[in-house]
Amino acid sequence: MKALLIVDIQNDFCPGGALAVPHGDEVIEPTNALLSEFDCVVQTQDWHPSDHLSFASNHTEKEPYETIEMEYGEQVLWPDHCVQGTTGADFHPDLKTIPSQLIIRKGFRKHIDSYSAFFENDHKTVTGLHGYLQARNVNEIYITGLATDFCVKWTALDARKLGYAVHVVEDAVRGINMNGSVDAAFDEMKTSGVNIVQSKQLRG
Ligand code: VGL
Ligand code: ZN
């Protein structure tokens, strides 16, 4: 059984948002077009408390995009984004969310960021998604959404580690791109066995 996993298509990651991914809204149309091809559709939602420690504003003398050491390793500091209950955290209004069967919220623990849909950034704390997918006999995952070089990449790598067949839909993802991080993300994903596909190949 295959699943479509739609990562973080939220206002704050789209143009005009607090952590806008360049051309982030371009992932919406190809994602919507794929919905009818899947019997299992899951979305993720970045969902931070306002005192989240991934926000530069919650550290003294730190600017967005600087890094700090957290207990689990290096952490990029971000502009405040996807704060629980705000419009920025809402899904983009053009994304068709009605077919989604499960919404996984992540990043809600103050002390730990969560890029992957499976594990938080300590690579230990689980989101529950793996249990859900196992219970539904999913063994193959197609990923769309934002951002290629953070949440999409970590979701794809963890899915491979957990044994899923993983496809990233290239025309339905966009990246933040810090120092070539989008190209590096595609390299890392391919090396781990992620298959790169185009949405038109999947539309029946
Ligand atoms: C993301 C940075 C911080 C993402 C989430 O969705 O890729 N990136 N929070
Ligand atoms: Zn975040």
Side-chain angles (χ1 to χ4, degrees):
M1 161 96 150
K2 59 180 188 165
L4 180 63
L5 181 49
I6 304 168
V7 175
D8 295 1
I9 306 187
Q10 294 167 256
N11 289 322
D12 271 343
F13 296 124
C14 290
L19 179 40
V21 177
H23 305 280
D25 54 341
E26 292 173 11
V27 307
I28 296 168
E29 189 192 62
T31 298
N32 284 341
L34 286 178
L35 289 167
S36 61
E37 308 290 334
F38 290 84
D39 292 326
C40 179
V41 179
V42 176
Q43 281 183 251
T44 65
Q45 187 171 27
D46 213 34
W47 193 250
H48 299 304
S50 59
D51 60 355
H52 198 257
L53 293 183
S54 77
F55 295 171
S57 66
N58 290 321
H59 301 266
T60 43
E61 309 202 343
K62 289 287 180 189
E63 295 297 324
Y65 309 105
E66 288 182 33
T67 57
I68 55 161
E69 274 308 308
M70 300 274 264
E71 271 173 39
Y72 50 81
E74 192 179 82
Q75 170 70 47
V76 180
L77 294 175
W78 303 106
D80 293 21
H81 66 279
C82 297
V83 174
Q84 296 171 354
T86 64
T87 307
D90 286 346
F91 297 117
H92 190 287
D94 295 340
L95 180 69
K96 294 197 168 113
T97 59
I98 287 171
S100 295
Q101 298 154 351
L102 176 74
I103 295 171
I104 287 280
R105 287 177 167 167
K106 58 185 182 59
F108 51 77
R109 291 181 179 86
K110 171 183 177 177
H111 293 276
I112 176 163
D113 207 2
S114 188
Y115 295 150
S116 162
F118 293 96
F119 296 98
E120 304 204 0
N121 286 10
D122 62 358
H123 305 293
K124 289 201 268 287
T125 306
V126 299
T127 63
L129 180 59
H130 183 43
Y132 176 85
L133 294 177
Q134 281 183 308
R136 292 198 59 189
N137 289 320
V138 170
N139 58 359
E140 190 171 11
I141 300 175
Y142 289 77
I143 302 175
T144 74
L146 306 167
T148 312
D149 36 355
F150 289 92
C151 292
V152 167
K153 177 184 90 168
W154 286 109
T155 296
L157 295 179
D158 280 345
R160 286 295 302 139
K161 280 191 195 136
L162 291 167
Y164 295 91
V166 181
H167 310 266
V168 167
V169 186
E170 189 172 19
D171 56 307
V173 297
R174 293 290 184 282
I176 296 171
N177 208 17
M178 301 161 69
N179 309 311
S181 55
V182 167
D183 286 346
F186 276 112
D187 286 346
E188 262 183 88
M189 290 191 287
K190 286 179 199 162
T191 301
S192 82
V194 172
N195 183 33
I196 309 297
V197 292
Q198 310 301 320
S199 63
K200 65 173 189 291
Q201 296 170 245
L202 308 175
R203 293 161 66 171

